[in-house]
Amino acid sequence: MPSRRRALRHWAAGCGASLWGAGVWAGPQIEEPLSHAVRTALSAAVVAAAPPEPVLPHAQAQKTYDDWLHHASQRLARYKKHAAERQEFLQTLWYEARRAGLPLSLVLGIVQVESGFRKYAISSAGARGYMQVMPFWARLIGDGDDGRLFHMQTNLRFGCVILRHYLDRERGDLFLGLGRYNGSRGHAVYPQAVLAAQRQWVHAAD
């Protein structure tokens, strides 16, 4: 473990990510030009829609959701002390991860690594919030107000939509998609950190 921590610190320094506190991992993600079609699709994907209510069509789905909520809430208690805050966060994350077609455990792993579940986390690169979304995304596909990236649902929605976009660009390659999300494509340390964190959140609901 000490050698792994040294490697992680070395990687962060190499990326120029002098971070604001533990658990803020956003690297120097590069703003890339988007085609009109992609930009339009992503813009539509982040537009505020229905509130994050879980869609549970039958009793078994409700049980699976309840089991996941209990499991995840127990693990999240070390980061968020208040049960109502944990419930709101997890319900929103469920909604946004499902909406983007992402495993719940993967999104939880990213939030853990990127921000340590801190709503107002900011990296030295300027990435914001739970999923460390770079402000340029607010201009590219949002309404231009990067302050809204501190809003819980907005941040989770942007993060999930952006990750889905990168995974699609990499044809489903999780290693490359995670690297692109973090701005460290081709380097192993960040994907390995996320996948290690993800394993703590795996549940049948994934």
Side-chain angles (χ1 to χ4, degrees), residues 109-125:
I110 288 174
V111 176
Q112 180 178 323
V113 170
E114 287 283 355
S115 67
F117 293 94
R118 291 186 291 126
K119 181 177 182 177
Y120 296 107
I122 304 177
S123 79
S124 63

Side-chain angles (χ1 to χ4, degrees), residues 68 71 93 97-98 102-112 117 194-195 197-203 205-206:
W68 171 81
H71 171 265
L93 185 140
R98 287 285 193 256
L102 298 170
L104 300 164
S105 60
L106 177 62
V107 178
L108 283 162
I110 288 174
V111 176
Q112 180 178 323
F117 293 94
V194 169
L195 295 175
Q198 179 187 9
R199 286 194 287 273
Q200 303 173 41
W201 300 96
V202 169
H203 185 270
D206 269 355

Side-chain angles (χ1 to χ4, degrees), residues 44-103:
V46 299
V47 170
E53 295 291 339
V55 177
L56 305 168
H58 47 72
Q60 183 57 48
Q62 180 69 56
K63 183 179 184 305
T64 299
Y65 173 75
D66 291 341
D67 288 348
W68 171 81
L69 193 62
H70 177 72
H71 171 265
S73 184
Q74 284 187 317
R75 301 203 66 86
L76 190 58
R78 63 177 293 195
Y79 300 99
K80 294 184 178 294
K81 294 182 180 180
H82 300 293
E85 184 184 3
R86 294 198 301 271
Q87 168 126 2
E88 181 185 18
F89 174 82
L90 290 169
Q91 181 174 305
T92 303
L93 185 140
W94 169 287
Y95 180 86
E96 296 302 336
R98 287 285 193 256
R99 185 175 182 268
L102 298 170

Side-chain angles (χ1 to χ4, degrees), residues 172-189:
D173 188 311
L174 187 56
F175 176 85
L176 293 178
L178 287 171
R180 191 180 285 276
Y181 183 88
N182 177 255
S184 60
R185 185 180 186 274
H187 297 277
V189 177

